[in-house]
């Protein structure tokens, strides 16, 4: 294994062990993605993207692809780029959403699906506390 690959592996392992709720550079985004007031809005976007990606590509997206799509809707994404790219934020957010029943996945890549409670995300009135959106020009 090359030195570059070793550095990437070590960085990935340490990144996964970061606790996004206590890391100052990760906490604001993680909190927004998992808070009772704002999580449904983000999860709804994720579920829509999962369905669209699966329909268009014949397979579900990866966590990274979902978060790349979600970051496009965050007008503060440039300021929170490190958090959007964090594997620990991605994984722990997905675990939170899975516990809520909004999504489901297995250990294998590309197994993301909407969960049994995903329908509640689309009921009118669940958009209060919507996250700030970036306007496209």
């Amino acid at each position: 294994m090359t030195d570059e690959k070793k550095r990437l592996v070590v960085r990935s392992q340490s990144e996964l062990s970061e606790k996004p709720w206590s890391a100052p550079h990760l906490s604001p985004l993680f909190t927004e993605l998992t808070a009772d007031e704002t999580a449904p809005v983000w999860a709804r976007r994720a579920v829509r993207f999962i369905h669209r990606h699966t329909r268009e590509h014949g397979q579900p997206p990866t966590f990274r692809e979902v978060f790349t799509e979600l970051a496009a809707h965050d007008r503060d994404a440039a300021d929170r780029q490190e958090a959007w790219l964090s594997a620990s934020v991605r994984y722990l957010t997905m675990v939170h959403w899975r516990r809520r029943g909004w999504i489901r996945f297995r250990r294998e890549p590309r197994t993301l699906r909407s969960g049994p409670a995903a329908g509640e995300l689309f009921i009118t009135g669940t958009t209060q506390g919507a996250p700030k959106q970036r306007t496209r020009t």
Side-chain angles (χ1 to χ4, degrees):
M1 184 181 291
T2 67
D3 287 340
E4 179 63 25
K5 285 185 181 178
K6 285 180 186 175
R7 278 195 299 272
L8 289 174
V9 169
V10 171
R11 182 178 183 274
S12 296
Q13 289 171 347
S14 66
E15 183 181 9
L16 280 173
S17 66
E18 282 186 293
K19 294 175 176 65
W21 53 87
S22 62
H25 63 295
L26 304 178
S27 180
L29 178 62
F30 180 72
T31 300
E32 185 173 323
L33 294 171
T34 59
D36 287 341
E37 304 80 34
T38 52
V41 176
W42 287 108
R44 180 174 48 243
R45 285 188 182 127
V47 167
R48 282 185 178 141
F49 178 72
I50 291 166
H51 288 184
R52 186 175 72 240
H53 187 281
T54 302
R55 186 176 57 250
E56 292 172 0
H57 299 279
Q59 63 182 357
T62 62
F63 288 7
R64 181 184 304 257
E65 289 167 333
V66 170
F67 276 72
T68 299
E69 171 67 18
L70 294 178
H73 295 280
D74 180 10
R75 70 175 174 187
D76 297 327
D79 297 333
R80 304 193 291 188
Q81 182 176 10
E82 188 174 354
W84 278 112
L85 296 174
S86 167
S88 62
V89 169
R90 286 193 306 263
Y91 180 72
L92 292 171
T93 298
M94 291 298 205
V95 167
H96 177 81
W97 291 351
R98 179 170 65 181
R99 287 178 180 159
R100 299 284 303 258
W102 297 333
I103 62 163
R104 57 190 166 135
F105 60 89
R106 294 186 313 271
R107 288 186 179 264
E108 299 84 25
R110 298 197 181 274
T111 57
L112 271 171
R113 304 274 190 272
S114 56
E120 76 182 31
L121 295 170
F122 298 93
I123 297 171
T124 307
T126 59
T127 58
Q128 70 184 63
K132 301 169 268 183
Q133 289 186 358
R134 183 175 71 182
T135 55
R136 296 180 190 242
T137 56

